Amino acid sequence: MPSSISLHSVSAIAYGFRYRAPLKHACLLYAHHLHSFHRQKSPLFSSSFCRVLNPYSFTGNSRFSRMEVLFPSVCCFSTPRVSQFWSGSAGNRNKGMTEQLRRCGVIKSQKVIEIMETVDRGLFVPEGTPAYVDSPMSIGYNATISAPHMHAMCLELLEDRLQPGMHALDVGSGTGYLTACFALMVGPQGRVVGVEHIPELVAWSIKNVEKSAAAPLLKEGSLSLHVGDGRKGWPEHAPYDAIHVGAAAADVPQDLIDQLKPGGRMVIPVGTFFQDLKVIDKKLDGSISVRSETSVRYVPLTSREAQINGTD
């Protein structure tokens, strides 16, 4: 396969292309996107395109050392040239990222805009990586932090269940970014729990949150981060109004359904090769409704050992 790929066709990439996995999976993403094109039009993208040069090198099974892809305009600020216009403090660059997502139609909620401007993404990515581009980033241990547009989407899908005083669970909390966002949304009267099965990531995420606007909530105890198997949830503070899962499950874990409060909502990617972001609502009578929001590509929700070893 050539190391430079141009995807010119609107029918190939214009709609529904959202991902968390690193660009080393681009060939898989492209095939997946062709599968999903006729199922869902994304409101995220306009008809204009820009050229994105991926500056990162990948090792392991990747056959791409440098890849050129044509992405819709929502990704225009991901290019090194454009991101150079965001000079000044990290806070200004974070605000610029959020503003670009708003202008591209990714974020419509004023509350989500405020939260993403308040929680500096730069505090939650590895040092030296470009924090404010619309791309997932490797955080080690075969894990990633999602692209900003995925964070924005999940925050908007869960916004009504992240009101002050509500309870939220973040499964696969990684570096703690989205957990911190949830905590600011539910406030000190609420309760947010992040569960991550890699102890080193939990320790790192606590340090990240301590540097962020969510630090007082961590200190007061309304936000907590734990080492554990997220597939089993965190029963201590259940039931939850909102559950977010940051990795793809082959099937929705029953423990998470059980810990979802009547009237609550779970957002979870489901699938193996082909994945969809599922929105699961538990009605007041306890019955469940499920809909697909869009096609995605996430790392698998699996055991700690399987994740570290790179096996499903």
Side-chain angles (χ1 to χ4, degrees):
M1 185 175 290
S3 61
S4 179
I5 299 177
S6 293
L7 309 180
H8 294 277
S9 169
V10 172
S11 64
I13 67 167
Y15 302 109
F17 188 34
R18 301 179 176 117
Y19 60 93
R20 173 170 177 158
L23 286 175
K24 64 181 179 181
H25 299 301
C27 57
L28 187 60
L29 293 169
Y30 176 58
H32 183 195
H33 180 74
L34 289 177
H35 167 79
S36 66
F37 165 63
H38 293 293
R39 292 190 300 160
Q40 168 109 19
K41 277 192 173 186
S42 166
L44 211 149
F45 301 133
S46 72
S47 60
S48 59
F49 290 79
C50 65
R51 189 173 302 273
V52 178
L53 292 177
N54 172 33
Y56 314 112
S57 295
F58 298 97
T59 57
N61 296 328
S62 173
R63 298 182 64 183
F64 301 96
S65 60
R66 182 176 179 86
M67 181 181 302
E68 181 178 330
V69 184
L70 289 181
F71 284 101
S73 61
V74 67
C75 294
C76 284
F77 64 91
S78 298
T79 65
R81 289 175 312 212
V82 176
S83 63
Q84 288 174 4
F85 288 111
W86 296 350
S87 58
S89 69
N92 287 338
R93 294 196 299 274
N94 188 72
K95 187 174 181 178
M97 176 195 75
T98 306
E99 174 61 19
Q100 181 69 6
L101 290 170
R102 185 197 64 77
R103 287 197 293 127
C104 289
V106 181
I107 307 177
K108 298 180 176 64
S109 163
Q110 184 59 38
K111 182 63 175 179
V112 171
I113 291 172
E114 292 171 0
I115 292 296
M116 291 187 68
E117 287 182 347
T118 301
V119 181
D120 185 358
R121 179 178 166 88
L123 299 175
F124 295 86
V125 301
E127 186 176 355
T129 58
Y132 308 107
V133 300
D134 193 23
S135 173
M137 302 286 174
S138 172
I139 56 174
Y141 310 97
N142 289 314
T144 61
I145 179 173
S146 291
H149 71 263
M150 283 305 306
H151 284 149
M153 179 190 299
C154 291
L155 286 169
E156 291 208 336
L157 287 171
L158 291 170
E159 182 179 4
D160 289 345
R161 279 78 174 183
L162 292 170
Q163 298 300 310
M166 291 185 171
H167 286 210
L169 174 66
D170 187 17
V171 173
S173 49
T175 64
Y177 174 81
L178 207 56
T179 324
C181 292
F182 291 166
L184 288 177
M185 293 184 79
V186 304
Q189 302 306 313
R191 194 69 171 81
V192 172
V193 177
V195 181
E196 168 60 56
H197 59 192
I198 305 296
E200 293 85 352
L201 287 179
V202 174
W204 183 24
S205 68
I206 291 172
K207 292 180 180 178
N208 296 339
V209 173
E210 287 175 341
K211 295 181 287 186
S212 77
L217 300 173
L218 181 68
K219 184 177 180 179
E220 295 164 5
S222 60
L223 162 60
S224 59
L225 295 149
H226 304 273
V227 178
D229 186 343
R231 296 171 296 183
K232 299 178 181 179
W234 197 260
E236 180 181 350
H237 297 293
Y240 297 99
D241 300 277
I243 298 178
H244 167 264
V245 182
D251 299 292
V252 180
Q254 185 61 45
D255 285 337
L256 298 184
I257 293 177
D258 293 343
Q259 291 175 36
L260 189 63
K261 184 178 181 179
R265 170 171 288 183
M266 183 191 319
V267 173
I268 177 172
V270 178
T272 52
F273 188 87
F274 297 118
Q275 300 172 4
D276 286 304
L277 190 67
K278 300 289 188 180
V279 177
I280 300 175
D281 291 319
K282 180 180 281 189
K283 299 178 183 179
L284 294 178
D285 63 4
S287 62
I288 299 294
S289 67
V290 182
R291 66 176 173 86
S292 294
E293 177 69 16
T294 189
S295 296
V296 291
R297 186 65 190 170
Y298 276 59
V299 297
L301 183 68
T302 185
S303 68
R304 179 191 308 172
E305 293 74 18
Q307 180 174 321
I308 291 175
N309 295 328
T311 58
D312 293 351

